[in-house]
Amino acid sequence: MTVKVTGLWRHPIKSHGREALESVTLSPGQTMPGDRVWAVAHEKSRADNSAWAPCQNFTLVSKVPALMAMSARLRGEDVTLSHPDRPDLTFAPDREEALFLDWVKPLMPENRAQSARIVRVPGRGMTDSDFPSVTLCNMASHRAVEQKMGRDLSPLRWRSNIWFDGLPLWEEFDWIGREVQVGEVVFAVRERTERCMSVNTNPETGLRDAETLGTLDIWGHRDFSVRAEVIQGGDIRIGDEVRAL
């Protein structure tokens, strides 16, 4: 069976919304354009604009489930955020930080470190990995999780970049250390993506409503998707072929 791209997603502000794409152009050594361009540092964070920082420095869905219900639209340097409990906000993260902090504050639990500032490292998307990564996700693996749980789950829980269908479940883990071509782009697949509490959260409501993370224990791991590095740039479109080289 031919493996095909079924979804392309970016997340302009880390843990604060997602945006569907029909096509994307990737460059070697870079994240997906417009993906995790910004991250929101909390009041206890030491992250700044000088270098990549690990995820514990940022306000995340795993700590603030309400953020999962957010969608985003990136146009130039402006981001529009939408959430069922807030009016839409269009702002420039590099210049209008205060607008965002006021807007997001009602979604923040009082017992968590509050969002304090927006961080951007030029030329470096703020992925969870310590290298600029793109996540590759297998629909068969997602369906296997649904089957074990006995319910439908939105793939948006996984907050990944490229979805494909036509591969057996978990076969993407066999790609570690190999090269994979998606459309015109060649990736070096480097590692599994270890998951956290965020996947227990419903992307429509922002409420934790499923033991998605614990269900992965059935297979002896808490991993879903693989992280890959772009080594040959080019275009990817919905419907493009995916193949291991």
Side-chain angles (χ1 to χ4, degrees), residues 126-137:
M126 299 300 285
T127 55
D128 284 352
S129 58
D130 60 2
F131 66 97
S133 60
V134 177
T135 46
L136 310 180
C137 256

Side-chain angles (χ1 to χ4, degrees), residues 43-187:
E43 57 193 354
K44 296 181 180 180
S45 170
R46 295 185 178 181
D48 58 27
N49 295 329
S50 65
W52 175 88
C55 61
Q56 58 263 33
N57 287 279
F58 302 109
T59 301
L60 303 173
V61 170
S62 58
K63 304 297 185 182
V64 187
L67 301 179
M68 180 66 99
M70 200 178 297
S71 61
R73 186 173 70 251
L74 175 62
R75 298 295 181 268
E77 293 297 305
D78 289 346
V79 177
T80 299
L81 298 177
S82 300
H83 189 281
D85 296 330
R86 303 293 294 136
D88 287 1
L89 172 71
T90 298
F91 74 112
D94 291 332
R95 303 189 307 275
E96 298 176 306
E97 179 183 274
L99 285 177
F100 165 79
L101 294 175
D102 287 344
W103 182 86
V104 80
K105 189 174 180 59
L107 302 178
M108 301 291 297
E110 292 183 0
N111 62 343
R112 292 290 182 187
Q114 298 298 296
S115 295
R117 61 190 179 278
I118 296 174
V119 173
R120 178 179 188 174
V121 177
R124 174 65 164 93
M126 299 300 285
T127 55
D128 284 352
S129 58
D130 60 2
F131 66 97
S133 60
V134 177
T135 46
L136 310 180
C137 256
N138 183 357
M139 278 301 302
S141 301
H142 175 76
R143 287 193 293 267
V145 175
E146 288 184 311
Q147 184 179 29
K148 291 297 184 183
M149 297 184 70
R151 58 174 293 181
D152 293 337
L153 295 172
S154 169
L156 297 177
R157 287 178 186 257
W158 307 106
R159 296 173 297 124
S160 292
N161 296 129
I162 300 175
W163 282 92
F164 52 85
D165 206 358
L167 196 72
L169 69 156
W170 307 125
E171 191 164 318
E172 64 275 22
F173 294 158
D174 295 338
W175 288 350
I176 304 297
R178 301 177 64 186
E179 294 180 2
V180 172
Q181 183 166 356
V182 183
E184 298 176 348
V185 179
V186 177
F187 295 95

